[in-house]
Amino acid sequence: MFTPQQRAVLLLWKRVNASLSAFYKLEKYFGTAKQALQASESQWQQLGIHKKHIERQSQATQLEDENFLAVLKSRINQGEFKIVFQFEVHYPQQLLNIFDPPPVLFYRGNIERLNQPQIAIVGSRKPTHKAQKFTFDMAQYLAKSGFIITSGLAQGVDAQAHLGALAQDKEACGRSIGVMGTGIDVCYPKQHQSLFDRMVNEGGCIISELFPGTLPHKHTFPRRNRLVAGLSLGTIVTEAAVKSGSLITARLTSEQGKQVFALPSSIDNPNAEGCHYLIREGATLIYHPDQVINDLCHQLHTPLQKQNDTTAQESMLQETELSSKVSNVIANNSLEAPNINTISNALIFNAKPISKEPKSVTISEHLQPLWVHIEFDAQDLDALIAKTNLDTASLLSQLMELELMGVITQVGGRYQRL
């Protein structure tokens, strides 16, 4: 069973209903979680603890506590999830630097990912096609360079960040961490079950500070955002509105003394107003992931995988050409300044400019398990069969549906997103 210290932390975390302020107020005053549980009701009242927490403390029985801990232990033994405590060696050290690190984390997957160098990528739940492509490519590039990509498992940019990070060769698979705003056993959004399972099965990790069974709530997602920021060396916002959870993550990143990066876009793109606001407020404008790597590598204790000389030289030439072009525009006071969106398209991953945004398409629920495995990199049928466990006939039928919807294409028998 759990050690006495682990038992006390879990029970106190349960008493205060995962309230960080109440937990740390009690622990600081009484010294340990165990002593806080042994304190009287009046002592809790003197500290200003919420009456609901005091009520749970006064009504708790030893039998209820033992049953609660026994159920948790049983579920751990059955492999549903695992737990790491703040005082244990595998607890992510980056989180110890934030104001209110969770006393306990529930997780599934490879716990070693939590202490590897991470970069957060966040953004809109309804990104434009370009933002999806840029997010996927940036995550794939950074993961290949050795970083772990951390995000919030939401629709849109978060999902593309995770998928891009997972799109690696076998020796580099699983370089992604998902932070949940629900209990570790509650898949939200529901259509991401295949993504959750893929992350765990391929060597990534998903975590939650909330007890199993906790449902999504408007208050749980800002909590998740602080963990996304806390785990990472820096945060990239690829596309976001001004009033969005992504800007909360960016603000928390800045408050933690870390660097915020933002991708520019067209000035008439309302989805990118948040990125432009961040840049105006001092975030670092980027148009290639090498810029993120160069800014963050000084924080690493060990060097990441180096790029080959040719790629590095090409990147430097591109940056030099852009700097020269911008300088000439400023010097000549020209009105024909290079369009920010054109610069992004021309430089980031050698992407081709796209003249028109595709219409938004809703993917049917029965296609979602396949859709999350379709990447911007082409894959053959064997790869998709291995990932989805569909038989060939069913897979071909669903692929045809997606093709008819105009969201994927087939090139030489290989399928990829548009």
Side-chain angles (χ1 to χ4, degrees), residues 59-213:
Q59 294 179 356
T61 66
Q62 185 175 356
L63 179 61
E64 288 176 346
D65 287 348
E66 293 300 331
N67 288 339
F68 165 74
L69 294 172
V71 169
L72 270 185
K73 192 64 180 178
S74 174
R75 297 184 69 179
I76 292 171
N77 291 339
Q78 291 172 19
E80 290 187 44
F81 53 79
K82 295 182 181 178
I83 301 178
V84 61
F85 293 85
Q86 190 183 117
F87 48 81
E88 294 179 332
V89 66
H90 288 299
Y91 188 90
Q93 298 303 297
Q94 280 282 109
L95 286 186
L96 297 178
N97 297 322
I98 70 174
F99 173 72
D100 51 0
V104 59
L105 286 173
F106 299 85
Y107 71 93
R108 293 174 57 205
N110 182 3
I111 193 173
E112 293 182 4
R113 296 296 186 206
L114 299 179
N115 278 303
Q116 294 173 349
Q118 300 168 48
I119 296 176
I121 300 181
V122 297
S124 172
R125 283 179 170 80
K126 296 180 179 179
T128 59
H129 177 76
K130 289 181 184 178
Q132 292 183 58
K133 179 69 166 66
F134 289 172
T135 300
F136 182 96
D137 288 352
M138 183 164 285
Q140 184 180 39
Y141 189 104
L142 291 169
K144 189 173 183 179
S145 299
F147 284 101
I148 308 302
I149 303 303
T150 300
S151 197
L153 291 165
Q155 296 184 64
V157 164
D158 286 16
Q160 292 305 316
H162 293 306
L163 289 169
L166 294 173
Q168 306 292 328
D169 297 329
K170 287 185 178 180
E171 61 272 13
C173 64
R175 290 181 176 173
S176 191
I177 292 172
V179 184
M180 302 177 69
T182 62
I184 193 70
D185 57 345
V186 178
C187 178
Y188 182 83
K190 290 182 179 179
Q191 61 265 36
H192 277 185
Q193 187 64 62
S194 296
L195 175 59
F196 281 40
D197 294 340
R198 181 179 174 187
M199 287 183 66
V200 172
N201 295 334
E202 293 187 10
C205 186
I206 59 175
I207 66 170
S208 174
E209 66 179 326
L210 305 171
F211 277 112

Side-chain angles (χ1 to χ4, degrees), residues 94-368:
Q94 280 282 109
L95 286 186
L96 297 178
N97 297 322
I98 70 174
F99 173 72
D100 51 0
V104 59
L105 286 173
F106 299 85
Y107 71 93
R108 293 174 57 205
N110 182 3
I111 193 173
E112 293 182 4
R113 296 296 186 206
L114 299 179
N115 278 303
Q116 294 173 349
Q118 300 168 48
I119 296 176
I121 300 181
V122 297
S124 172
R125 283 179 170 80
K126 296 180 179 179
T128 59
H129 177 76
K130 289 181 184 178
Q132 292 183 58
K133 179 69 166 66
F134 289 172
T135 300
F136 182 96
D137 288 352
M138 183 164 285
Q140 184 180 39
Y141 189 104
L142 291 169
K144 189 173 183 179
S145 299
F147 284 101
I148 308 302
I149 303 303
T150 300
S151 197
L153 291 165
Q155 296 184 64
V157 164
D158 286 16
Q160 292 305 316
H162 293 306
L163 289 169
L166 294 173
Q168 306 292 328
D169 297 329
K170 287 185 178 180
E171 61 272 13
C173 64
R175 290 181 176 173
S176 191
I177 292 172
V179 184
M180 302 177 69
T182 62
I184 193 70
D185 57 345
V186 178
C187 178
Y188 182 83
K190 290 182 179 179
Q191 61 265 36
H192 277 185
Q193 187 64 62
S194 296
L195 175 59
F196 281 40
D197 294 340
R198 181 179 174 187
M199 287 183 66
V200 172
N201 295 334
E202 293 187 10
C205 186
I206 59 175
I207 66 170
S208 174
E209 66 179 326
L210 305 171
F211 277 112
T214 303
L215 298 176
H217 190 274
K218 63 180 181 180
H219 298 302
T220 61
F221 293 104
R223 292 182 60 154
R224 173 203 63 184
N225 294 345
R226 96 185 190 288
L227 296 184
V228 171
L231 284 164
S232 308
L233 301 175
T235 295
I236 301 170
V237 185
T238 56
E239 187 177 75
V242 172
K243 294 183 178 180
S244 66
S246 301
L247 263 67
I248 294 175
T249 306
R251 174 179 58 79
L252 293 169
T253 300
S254 182
E255 289 176 355
Q256 293 169 13
K258 301 172 184 177
Q259 196 164 354
V260 178
F261 304 89
L263 265 68
S265 184
S266 300
I267 60 173
D268 60 350
N269 177 10
N271 246 23
E273 287 181 359
C275 289
H276 296 155
Y277 170 81
L278 290 173
I279 293 168
R280 183 176 173 83
E281 293 298 308
T284 302
L285 184 154
I286 57 169
Y287 50 84
H288 196 284
D290 278 341
Q291 296 159 332
V292 179
I293 295 171
N294 291 337
D295 282 3
L296 296 183
C297 269
H298 70 279
Q299 299 184 42
L300 303 176
H301 297 296
T302 55
L304 291 168
Q305 173 185 336
K306 294 183 179 179
Q307 295 178 294
N308 64 57
D309 294 338
T310 303
T311 304
Q313 288 173 4
E314 288 176 354
S315 177
M316 290 177 65
L317 283 172
Q318 288 177 334
E319 291 190 33
T320 302
E321 289 174 5
L322 176 65
S323 299
S324 175
K325 185 180 293 185
V326 174
S327 298
N328 288 337
V329 168
I330 295 172
N332 298 328
N333 196 25
S334 171
L335 294 178
E336 296 181 1
N339 180 278
I340 287 176
N341 208 37
T342 304
I343 292 171
S344 297
N345 279 331
L347 294 184
I348 195 163
F349 326 117
N350 297 317
K352 295 181 180 179
I354 302 171
S355 58
K356 187 177 181 181
E357 298 295 342
K359 294 180 179 179
S360 177
V361 176
T362 301
I363 306 300
S364 304
E365 187 173 346
H366 76 283
L367 295 175
Q368 285 288 345

Side-chain angles (χ1 to χ4, degrees), residues 1-73:
M1 291 297 288
F2 299 107
T3 67
Q5 186 178 11
Q6 291 172 337
R7 289 167 56 91
V9 168
L10 287 169
L11 290 175
L12 185 60
W13 193 231
K14 181 174 182 288
R15 295 283 199 277
V16 299
N17 196 29
S19 166
L20 290 154
S21 59
F23 182 92
Y24 282 115
K25 186 182 288 187
L26 288 164
E27 188 181 59
K28 182 178 180 180
Y29 185 83
F30 293 107
T32 65
K34 184 177 181 180
Q35 290 174 323
L37 289 169
Q38 294 171 346
S40 66
E41 183 178 333
S42 61
Q43 287 177 302
W44 279 39
Q45 289 174 336
Q46 290 173 5
L47 290 176
I49 302 300
H50 195 281
K51 62 180 181 180
K52 290 290 185 181
H53 304 332
I54 297 175
E55 189 176 299
R56 277 189 291 271
Q57 167 70 351
S58 62
Q59 294 179 356
T61 66
Q62 185 175 356
L63 179 61
E64 288 176 346
D65 287 348
E66 293 300 331
N67 288 339
F68 165 74
L69 294 172
V71 169
L72 270 185
K73 192 64 180 178

